[in-house]
């Protein structure tokens, strides 16, 4: 709670005008497992956590949080193209 995987969806929900339910997990592994198993409908995760599942077709990446498209997923639009001004990046 309070990390980027929690605060970025909160910011997204506010800017997009949608309601999301926060489901805390102890790291990216359990979060991915929950998504792949249908326990949750969506996640907002980091590129290293989700890219292998996107490349194998196990997960559908609908948008990225960076201001520009990524070379690793060139066909995936930015969230900012649907929710103007939204950017989610980790450091």
């Amino acid at each position: 709670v309070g990390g980027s995987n929690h605060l970025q969806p909160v910011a997204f929900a506010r800017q997009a005008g949608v309601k999301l339910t926060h489901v805390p997990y102890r790291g990216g592994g359990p979060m991915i497992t929950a998504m792949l198993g249908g326990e949750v409908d969506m996640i907002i995760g980091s590129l290293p956590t989700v890219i292998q599942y996107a490349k194998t077709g196990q997960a559908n990446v609908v948008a990225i949080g960076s201001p520009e498209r990524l070379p690793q997923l060139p066909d995936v639009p930015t969230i900012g193209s649907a929710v103007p001004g939204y950017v989610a990046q980790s450091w």
Side-chain angles (χ1 to χ4, degrees), residues 61-66 68-69 73-82:
V61 178
V62 297
I64 56 162
S66 62
E68 298 173 1
R69 290 180 186 234
L73 299 169
D75 297 330
V76 177
T78 65
I79 294 176
S81 64

Side-chain angles (χ1 to χ4, degrees), residues 15 48 51 53 81 90:
Q15 282 185 253
I51 193 161
Y53 302 100
S81 64
S90 298

Side-chain angles (χ1 to χ4, degrees), residues 32-69:
I32 287 289
T33 300
M35 183 198 59
L36 295 174
E39 185 177 314
V40 294
D41 296 324
M42 63 162 275
I43 64 168
I44 294 180
S46 65
L47 182 64
T49 302
V50 301
I51 193 161
Q52 70 183 15
Y53 302 100
K55 295 248 182 206
T56 61
Q58 293 175 282
N60 183 22
V61 178
V62 297
I64 56 162
S66 62
E68 298 173 1
R69 290 180 186 234

Side-chain angles (χ1 to χ4, degrees), residues 1-22:
V1 174
S4 63
N5 283 346
H6 174 215
L7 298 179
Q8 289 172 354
V10 170
F12 168 75
R14 286 185 180 165
Q15 282 185 253
V18 298
K19 183 178 179 184
L20 300 176
T21 300
H22 174 235

